[in-house]
Amino acid sequence: MNEKNAEYLSLSTKLAVLAELVSSLARAEGDHVTNVPGLSLHRRNQPSEPLHCIYTLSVALTIQGGKQVLIGDVVHELGPGKSMITTLDLPVVSHVVEARRHQPYLGILFQLDIAQILAVNTELDLSRPHKGDTFQSVSIEQADAQLCDAFIRLLQLPMQPEMQPHLAPLIQKEIVIRLLTGPHGLHLRHLVSEGSPSEHISRAVTWLKQNFVHSFSMDELANRAHMSASTFRQHFRAMTGTSPLQYQKQLRLQEARELMLNQQMDASRASAMVGYESASQFSREYSRLFGAPPQKDIRRLRHNS
């Protein structure tokens, strides 16, 4: 058996172990937040409808089944063993495309901490990305057996509550080390590389996320990123797949949807809360993004939950 075949068999074995662990911890269909900080498990027994959501700084691992993630106008396919790093808060359209009751879609999502990434990057004294290196806000790679091993040990912690507080931080740091030194590493190092365009865009995205209810000019955002308006717009679109104004609009509409769904808020009040002055404009843009007017969309979401 050659080295490549041995590596494939090793990864297949690790994925089988992960599938068993996730199935035992997430017995019902849905999204399951574990008591391990930052770790959630995801199970679908059948293909799902496309869902608009925000992906934050995280690593996702598809264990079984398959899903598609649409970012901008690019469709990303995620099958078993595919890992995806998201380095910015990105509006995406995600849906499970391969799942059956007896072989459900199974996935892991682990939230990353930028302070820890910076600390580990400094501790390891990793090389700075070159100016000519291409940076992407989303990185998709085949996971290796070592990364799967770390996730296996992290998923075993809920069954070892007395050990969890001591071991979880060590395993979480190991995951960050493996991501920084593996195929995803370039994109994570770009994120924490001081003074790089990606670091400036990341700061602008963070400001936008905190202030999306307010109006702003392109020049104001560009100044925050220490770029000209045209350069800022170009880098922003390259990293997020959309324009700054479109990004703000999607943040507003996502937040309004959450307010109506989880806080029983009506559309008029929700639209005002997220910065819309015109209820009719809100309804038009909401329908364009989610495929139905606010009231109808919320009824559909509650019926499917």
Side-chain angles (χ1 to χ4, degrees):
M1 181 184 298
N2 63 37
E3 185 176 337
K4 188 173 183 179
N5 286 339
E7 183 179 341
Y8 174 79
L9 287 175
S10 177
L11 177 61
S12 297
T13 301
K14 305 297 182 186
L15 290 174
V17 174
L18 281 169
E20 187 175 343
L21 283 167
V22 173
S23 294
S24 66
L25 293 169
R27 295 182 179 277
E29 186 174 34
D31 304 321
H32 304 264
V33 177
T34 73
N35 57 6
V36 177
L39 179 67
S40 60
L41 311 177
H42 304 269
R43 177 180 185 138
R44 297 290 184 275
N45 295 334
Q46 59 187 358
S48 63
E49 292 293 322
L51 175 67
H52 291 262
C53 53
I54 303 289
Y55 276 11
T56 59
L57 176 59
S58 58
V59 55
L61 176 63
T62 299
I63 297 166
Q64 186 172 278
K67 71 186 301 185
Q68 289 182 344
V69 178
L70 176 66
I71 301 174
D73 56 359
V74 180
V75 176
H76 301 275
E77 303 282 349
L78 299 173
K82 287 291 185 180
S83 60
M84 181 176 77
I85 289 280
T86 313
T87 58
L88 292 175
D89 291 357
L90 291 178
V92 307
V93 181
S94 171
H95 69 121
V96 170
V97 294
E98 185 180 340
R100 298 188 296 275
R101 178 165 295 279
H102 298 296
Q103 194 173 11
Y105 166 85
L106 300 173
I108 295 172
L109 182 69
F110 178 56
Q111 302 288 338
L112 298 172
D113 176 28
I114 193 167
Q116 185 178 43
I117 294 170
L118 178 59
V120 171
N121 187 65
T122 303
E123 182 182 333
L124 296 179
D125 196 22
L126 297 172
S127 61
R128 287 173 58 90
H130 299 296
K131 287 186 177 179
D133 289 338
T134 302
F135 171 77
Q136 297 175 352
S137 54
V138 172
S139 172
I140 298 175
E141 300 285 350
Q142 190 73 17
D144 57 34
Q146 291 75 28
L147 180 62
C148 289
D149 259 334
F151 275 119
I152 286 171
R153 284 182 272 110
L154 198 63
L155 284 172
Q156 290 171 335
L157 290 181
M159 294 170 274
Q160 308 169 50
E162 72 286 352
M163 300 300 293
Q164 182 176 310
H166 310 289
L167 293 179
L170 301 178
I171 301 172
Q172 290 166 339
K173 182 177 180 181
E174 178 189 350
I175 289 172
V176 172
I177 290 172
R178 295 197 178 280
L179 293 174
L180 275 168
T181 57
H184 294 294
L186 171 65
H187 308 290
L188 286 176
R189 294 201 299 278
H190 255 291
L191 181 65
V192 295
S193 180
E194 187 175 356
S196 67
S198 56
E199 192 252 355
H200 291 314
I201 296 297
S202 176
R203 289 182 183 276
V205 165
T206 298
W207 185 88
L208 257 177
K209 189 179 178 186
Q210 295 169 347
N211 297 276
F212 64 82
V213 299
H214 305 298
S215 298
F216 59 83
S217 69
M218 184 63 65
D219 286 339
E220 180 184 357
L221 271 181
N223 286 336
R224 289 183 173 276
H226 307 290
M227 297 176 181
S228 69
S230 60
T231 300
F232 174 76
R233 190 181 295 109
Q234 178 184 351
H235 281 291
F236 193 98
R237 181 174 287 278
M239 288 180 62
T240 66
T242 188
S243 70
L245 293 177
Q246 190 66 27
Y247 185 91
Q248 179 201 32
K249 183 187 297 183
Q250 291 192 46
L251 289 177
R252 283 180 167 183
L253 294 171
Q254 290 278 8
E255 178 65 16
R257 197 187 206 193
E258 290 293 320
L259 290 172
M260 290 185 289
L261 185 62
N262 298 322
Q263 297 189 26
Q264 317 300 318
M265 200 174 288
D266 62 45
S268 177
R269 187 178 172 204
S271 66
M273 288 284 289
V274 300
Y276 276 89
E277 296 181 1
S278 166
S280 60
Q281 181 187 0
F282 169 74
S283 184
R284 285 195 305 273
E285 294 182 352
Y286 190 103
S287 299
R288 195 175 300 127
L289 181 62
F290 298 121
Q295 192 173 8
K296 183 177 180 181
D297 177 58
I298 296 303
R299 282 201 305 267
R300 178 179 61 188
L301 289 173
R302 287 178 178 148
H303 175 75
N304 292 335
S305 63

